[in-house]
Amino acid sequence: MSNYESKYNKEYRAFNAEWICAPDSYLKSFERPKAKEFPNAPFIWGRRYTRVHFRRIFKVTGSIKHAYLHMLCDNVIDIYINGKCVCFEKQDSKLVDITEYLVSDNILMIRAYQTSTPYSFTSGITGGIRIFYENGTTEDILTDN
């Protein structure tokens, strides 16, 4: 054993530590911002420390006048509608006009993934799509189970 190894063992051998982290229950009580347009949209979660992919299939039931999307994520999300990218590498999609992307049968796809910040270890997502029909009605498609 070298002098360095001997000195290192004497000084640091008794040093022990454990990782300090919040329990999983912290995620349930932590107040996160919501998309202003969709305050009742629940958060959906993937597994911690992973990239997640969410899909939602929905139908348009009439003639569309206007439609927009707004999603928020703890980390970074990419959003696609019917294979076309409408938001890339954003935490807040802001209001995105998606009128031209919608057809009668639609697929909303969201990819959420981790960033380099230690404060963002999950990918909680909230938000929705609002469709305004020509007949004056509206439809909300929100995040859900």
Side-chain angles (χ1 to χ4, degrees):
M1 185 181 302
S2 71
N3 285 339
Y4 175 78
E5 289 172 325
S6 176
K7 181 180 177 185
Y8 177 84
N9 286 336
K10 286 179 186 173
E11 290 180 17
Y12 299 105
R13 186 180 311 161
F15 181 76
N16 290 317
E18 292 183 20
W19 287 104
I20 301 171
C21 63
D24 287 344
S25 61
Y26 174 77
L27 295 175
K28 293 177 183 165
S29 64
F30 183 70
E31 189 64 36
R32 290 180 150 70
K34 294 279 209 150
K36 183 173 68 170
E37 296 78 17
F38 304 108
N40 296 327
F43 271 92
I44 54 177
W45 305 88
R47 292 186 126 174
R48 292 183 296 158
Y49 310 110
T50 61
R51 178 174 291 186
V52 294
H53 299 260
F54 295 103
R55 273 180 33 154
R56 174 78 183 261
I57 297 170
F58 64 97
K59 289 185 175 285
V60 170
T61 59
S63 183
I64 299 173
K65 181 177 181 181
H66 181 72
Y68 66 80
L69 167 140
H70 187 194
M71 295 282 178
L72 292 175
C73 181
D74 291 341
N75 278 301
V76 178
I77 53 176
D78 302 332
I79 302 171
Y80 297 83
I81 294 181
N82 300 322
K84 296 179 181 126
C85 183
V86 296
C87 175
F88 188 71
E89 293 185 349
K90 303 285 184 192
Q91 283 186 303
D92 185 344
S93 73
K94 307 289 185 203
L95 284 179
V96 179
D97 184 344
I98 58 168
T99 308
E100 67 183 70
Y101 298 101
L102 297 181
V103 294
S104 58
D105 295 316
N106 299 278
I107 301 175
L108 169 66
M109 297 173 284
I110 301 173
R111 176 175 57 186
Y113 45 94
Q114 305 309 311
T115 61
S116 59
T117 174
Y119 302 109
S120 298
F121 56 90
T122 60
S123 296
I125 300 167
T126 186
I129 292 173
R130 181 162 291 148
I131 302 171
F132 297 87
Y133 292 103
E134 291 287 346
N135 66 7
T137 61
T138 61
E139 179 180 11
D140 286 349
I141 299 161
L142 305 177
T143 51
D144 62 12
N145 294 338

